[in-house]
Amino acid sequence: MTTLPSISVGIATIGSRPELLRTSVQSILDQDYPGSIEVIVSYDHVEIDPLDDLIIPEHRSLVTVTNTHPRGLTGGRNTCIDAASGELMGFCDDDDYWFNNKISAQVALWQAHPEAVAISSGMTVRSGGQDIVRLAPERATFDDFLLSRITEIHPSAMLYRREDLLEGGLIGPVDEDLPAGYGEDHDLLLRATRFGDVLSVQESLILVLWDRPSYFAGKWDSMTGGLTYMLQKFPEFERSPKGLARIAGQIAFAHAAQGNRKDAFAYARSAISRDPKQLRAWAALPVAAGIIPPATLLKAVQKTGRGL
């Protein structure tokens, strides 16, 4: 990576946040990076907004396409990968924002460490009218991602080599078999770090709006399906008791919220036997027993700026 690589950025959208989408796209087009950047916006089987009111600077391009893969985020991102021409591939949620030095800082780090499989950065979380900076670890390995999803490494911060994300590539495309696409970002990071580490620029380079409800909020069946699939797909979780307990605890809570008491108690026991301090598993117990509604505990967790 001795010369400036071309950059492609994919945004998968359902078109429901047109103003935020425009802000997101413009923040990418306005990067201070001197190399070429193309933005591909994939519309998920809805009418395409051409975004022709945006200002497109020199060495920038904007493409709007229809998702040609299965509906959802995974298909939308794979459509962007298919349509991209850049050497490096990034993604951005349609309501996130890139600070103008993001790509320059990340490419500089990658040029200094060409052995990295992907590059991330810190982020600024906007929640409750406050901006909170969260820095990602300088280096994250496969075992790190077994232990934790590492929420500071956000999908909108990532840069990959596009060739690695193609069918048959080192990592492969986003997994469209994940139930409801739940956990697709964690799955991609696990597959990537089998071949190298993720390095992160030690400053905030993106803005993430945390006040909006999660797409998966209350979709407990999607959580149980996606997380169970992940445990089956990555048997290496067995070598990370705390990491396995974390996911088992999440599954336990989701089953509890659905009223699946037997499954909730089984996953909670499995989690606690591996990590007695696994709070998600303990939280699942009173929910499964009908003592506390799941929404009460979720509100308490959301105030910390973290998910379940």
Side-chain angles (χ1 to χ4, degrees), residues 120-139:
S120 185
S121 76
M123 64 178 179
T124 298
V125 175
R126 180 165 293 172
S127 180
Q130 292 185 320
D131 286 355
I132 304 166
V133 174
R134 291 187 173 169
L135 296 183
E138 291 186 29
R139 182 181 294 270

Side-chain angles (χ1 to χ4, degrees), residues 58-72:
E58 189 178 5
H59 305 303
R60 306 289 184 260
S61 63
L62 172 61
V63 179
T64 53
V65 297
T66 296
N67 177 13
T68 57
H69 289 256
R71 288 178 182 270

